Amino acid sequence: WLPFDKVKHYTNAFIRQNGKILLGYKKRGFGLGLYNGFGGKVEPGETSAQAAVRELEEEAGITAPLRRCGSLFFILQGLEAAFCIEIFVAEEYEGTIIETDEMGPEWFSDGSDPSSDLPPIPLKQMWADDEFWMPMFLNNRMFVGRGDFSEDGKMLKYWFGEQIL
Ligand code: 6OG
């Protein structure tokens, strides 16, 4: 049973390169003050892959050959629609990374290079679901998951799993 039967589609994109991962510090709107990949709402007539490329360019100033690596489904108490978020990744990009009104981009260590002097992925300053799927993501696994959030942003119930190939 759910209090609604509508869903909004979003994208979220990460760049990983040489033991580094690019995150953005969200400066406004939903998820303010949290680090996340770059993304937003899928517009009418657009595929999620097109939206992922567009949003990365709007929020970080770069283009990348993004591919989908995961799918997340969330319900948040108090909202009128569920969220479906497709996660994308690329190992290369074109252009110069810029700070925008929405996002402050920063590189973090993805943990694969112990001698890296970059900070580790700031899971404490990210959405509560991320610590469950981030290990699969960092292992280059495809993943799917669901999280049910309370109105004040706590994840009450969840399930995350790796795709069997
Ligand atoms: P705009 O405000 O830019 O889109 N997003 C979430 N990401 C994670 N990992 N967990 C959640 O838990 C999320 N809720 C939203 C999707 C918001 C951006 O934030 C992501 C979008 O990339 C509930 O339109």
Side-chain angles (χ1 to χ4, degrees), residues 10-12 26 30 36 39-40 59 74 85 102 127 129-130:
Y10 286 81
T11 64
N12 208 234
K26 193 97 183 325
F30 197 60
N36 206 344
E59 294 185 354
F74 298 118
I85 306 180
E102 180 125 359
W127 283 99
D129 49 282
D130 295 23

Side-chain angles (χ1 to χ4, degrees), residues 2 6 8 10-11 13 15 19-21 23 25 30 36 42 47 53 56 59 73 80 97 104 108-109 149 157:
L2 295 172
K6 301 219 165 20
K8 279 191 190 170
Y10 286 81
T11 64
I15 306 292
K20 300 181 301 182
I21 180 168
L23 301 177
Y25 181 79
F30 197 60
N36 206 344
V42 179
T47 65
V53 171
L56 178 65
E59 294 185 354
F73 180 80
E80 81 289 2
I97 297 166
F108 292 86
S109 167
F149 285 78
K157 278 198 204 170

Side-chain angles (χ1 to χ4, degrees), residues 62-78:
I62 55 174
T63 56
L66 294 170
R67 61 179 193 282
R68 191 185 67 89
C69 58
S71 299
L72 301 173
F73 180 80
F74 298 118
I75 58 175
L76 283 84
Q77 278 171 15

